[in-house]
Amino acid sequence: MALTYPLSLATFADTLLCARITCDLPEMVEQSRTAEGEQLMADMGERLWTGRIDLGPMKRTEIGRPEVLIQVVKQGKTFQCYDRRRMYPLLDPTGSVLGASSVTILALGGDPREMSLAGLPVGYTLSAGDYLSFAYTSLSVTRQALHRVVDTSVVANGSGQTALFEVVPPIRPGAAAAAAVTLKKPYCKAVMVAGSSSPSEGRSTLYEGLGFDWVQSLR
């Protein structure tokens, strides 16, 4: 059966036997200075999540599937991607406390860096560095937002709601209250960085060296 895109976590990212990963949000600014030493900063574009995935050694019986999937996404095909270092909120490391809770955006602040949530278990706590994601629509295109919590601690009240808290990057136009929020394996849509993949090398009974860079796609 033909694959559908973006490749789901279960189809691609969750199947990769990662040995080393990175996830970053690089700045997109131009920096210059005046004769008086003042530092001037100018935004140059959207800040997009980016990273690298290096796979660990695999047996001959294991290498085929990841190799062929990486060959597929080399063609510019999209896939869901997340930071495997922080798959769940820090204080709920398996997601069991969250359970089947239906978390949504309660409100968006006047500042695009702020939002609040509803539908959390009473007393549920998000910590600085926790991820969250949600879908939004911009220019008639459905996109996937991925953010990290900036506040040290965000605690749900007796109604399962939080106060406004800060996230990074700023929330893009199109996000709306009542949108479903993912806290378990929050993800973005991504593509492989062209020319970044490294092939596997066979050594005795093991294959190693397979890896690639990825970058968030808003399309």
Side-chain angles (χ1 to χ4, degrees), residues 107-119:
L108 299 170
D111 187 316
R113 297 174 300 172
E114 293 185 323
M115 66 185 301
S116 58
L117 301 180

Side-chain angles (χ1 to χ4, degrees), residues 98 103 131-134 144 146 180-187:
L98 186 65
V103 183
Y131 286 91
L132 59 91
S133 65
F134 55 87
Q144 187 72 15
L146 180 64
V181 174
T182 298
L183 295 175
K184 296 180 180 180
K185 297 182 180 179
Y187 67 90

